[in-house]
Amino acid sequence: MAAPSQPQKSTYDVIVIGAGIQGSFTAYHLAQRHKDTLLLEQFLLPHSRGSSHGQSRIIRSAYPQEHYSRMMPDSFRLWQQLEAETGTTLYRQTGLVVLGPPGEPELEACRRNLGVDEVLNAAALAQRFPGFRLQAGQVAVLDSTAGVLFADRALRAVQEVFRRHGGTLRDGEKVLRIEPGATVTVTTSSGVYKAPRLIITAGAWTGAFMQQLGLRLPLQPLRIDVCYWREKQPGSAGLGSVSPCFLTLGLSQAPHGIYGLPSIEYPGLMKVCHHHGSPTDPEKRDQAASSAPRPDIAVLSRFISSYLPGLETQPAVMETCLYTNTPDEDFILDRHPKFSNIVIGAGFSGHGFKLAPVVGKLLCELSLGEEPSHNMAHFAITRFPGVLGAAL
């Protein structure tokens, strides 16, 4: 006869809800600090329902906001540490060009925060990277540190190290109820778990959990079209593996910005996306995606015609992703204002993946009551008035 199954463990030092890149790095840091950590994920892994799937993300030091550019050296160091721990390559340095009008405030802020003086005009950019065609008078700033993170490989790597350090990852368990208190009780579709600390990194589902806990956070899930565009001649015009990443700031043709990555995921296809999308319910995203109009495709087609003439102007592959935006597009990294043993990481607004190692460290520090290793002023819940609902 088979030995009777052991009862499932129900008590931990910390519970983390959401095993995307932010929650996985949070759990990783906790496990490295010898905290008995449970990481819960509602979907079976791997999955493509959230914000952390796909093969590639941009990593860059170029940020208009000084608080993010100051976090990037720490982030690069932690990514390199994860590579060493797993013996896996997670980053390819390609460089990145920031395109925009001369004197544009955010472009100038990127240049200052990078500490570079050089600005490339249209001729200099075309000479260096022949695939790009700036419009008359526009300029580019080069971030040579930037490149591509291999996203799905990175997510597997951080979860692997978490487990190696004794962490428990349970997927396919949807959280049904959170009961706050000195000991937090989390009820899932498969069990009941207790811990003195809870961290919520549930992406587009975070808003619903916050309402259970008396908070009305201004989180807006957006469905993003992730588009891949075929090179007219494979490897021509400087596109392909030697091409840098890019992003735009302050272009009238793309008020929300456009970004692109070289053809790494699909041979001969360049990833070019509008940094914007349509409001969506994360529970109904797949239904909405099939029928919703896609005005962003027209924005991208016009941009490619003008700036990337080596690409076809209709996407060859289209996928979807979720962003969860805050009104100011800064993250929320803070304790619950009423329940200080509940910590929230949310609102990564389409630019959080590269910073996940630092975000995870900060959420770990907040949960353990330690002094955060970076300035948290820009990430506080209190910057949004009226978020605390009726007393529970």
Side-chain angles (χ1 to χ4, degrees), residues 85-242:
E85 287 172 317
T86 57
T88 306
T89 300
L90 302 176
Y91 161 67
R92 178 185 294 175
Q93 187 171 0
T94 64
L96 171 138
V97 288
V98 187
L99 314 176
E104 201 280 330
E106 289 196 326
L107 186 72
E108 280 299 300
C110 282
R111 187 186 60 76
R112 283 195 307 273
N113 291 336
L114 282 170
V116 301
D117 296 323
E118 184 182 17
V119 175
L120 305 176
N121 61 22
L125 182 68
Q127 183 174 13
R128 197 156 186 173
F129 304 115
F132 291 91
R133 179 193 293 159
L134 281 178
Q135 305 305 293
Q138 294 176 347
V139 297
V141 171
L142 176 62
D143 176 358
S144 59
T145 70
V148 176
L149 286 170
F150 302 123
D152 50 359
R153 194 186 299 176
L155 186 60
R156 288 194 303 271
V158 70
Q159 291 170 355
E160 174 193 324
V161 176
F162 167 64
R163 284 177 160 137
R164 194 190 299 165
H165 284 274
T168 302
L169 171 55
R170 297 187 63 86
D171 62 349
E173 287 203 30
K174 186 177 179 67
V175 172
L176 305 176
R177 188 167 66 255
I178 299 168
E179 298 167 59
T183 297
V184 182
T185 301
V186 176
T187 302
T188 75
S189 52
S190 300
V192 178
Y193 307 99
K194 294 178 182 290
R197 304 174 186 89
L198 173 68
I199 302 173
I200 300 173
T201 52
W205 288 264
T206 300
F209 286 130
M210 292 302 98
Q211 288 184 19
Q212 282 187 39
L213 297 170
L215 281 186
R216 299 189 183 94
L217 293 182
L219 296 171
Q220 177 60 68
L222 298 177
R223 177 183 54 79
I224 306 297
D225 291 320
V226 181
C227 301
Y228 300 83
W229 310 75
R230 191 177 307 281
E231 297 173 9
K232 292 176 179 175
Q233 296 180 7
S236 68
L239 299 175
S241 60
V242 298

Side-chain angles (χ1 to χ4, degrees), residues 271-283:
K271 182 176 181 177
V272 183
C273 309
H274 196 200
H275 193 69
H276 189 56
S278 307
T280 191
D281 178 343
E283 295 288 354

Side-chain angles (χ1 to χ4, degrees), residues 285-301:
R285 184 195 76 172
D286 294 337
Q287 302 163 24
S290 59
S291 58
R294 289 185 144 96
D296 293 337
I297 304 303
V299 171
L300 290 168
S301 293

Side-chain angles (χ1 to χ4, degrees), residues 7-47:
Q8 182 176 307
K9 180 176 174 177
S10 61
T11 303
Y12 294 85
D13 293 335
V14 193
I15 298 171
V16 180
I17 298 175
I21 196 66
Q22 311 295 350
S24 294
F25 259 114
T26 301
Y28 159 98
H29 284 288
L30 288 162
Q32 288 196 323
R33 304 282 287 281
H34 309 292
K35 301 302 177 185
D36 188 11
T37 305
L38 172 64
L39 178 58
L40 292 170
E41 170 55 49
Q42 65 173 320
F43 301 116
L44 292 171
L45 294 171
H47 71 84

Side-chain angles (χ1 to χ4, degrees), residues 363-383:
L363 294 174
C364 170
E365 290 164 347
L366 283 174
S367 182
L368 299 180
E370 298 174 356
E371 183 69 23
S373 50
H374 293 273
N375 187 336
M376 303 294 282
H378 292 277
F379 310 127
I381 287 172
T382 51
R383 72 187 195 268

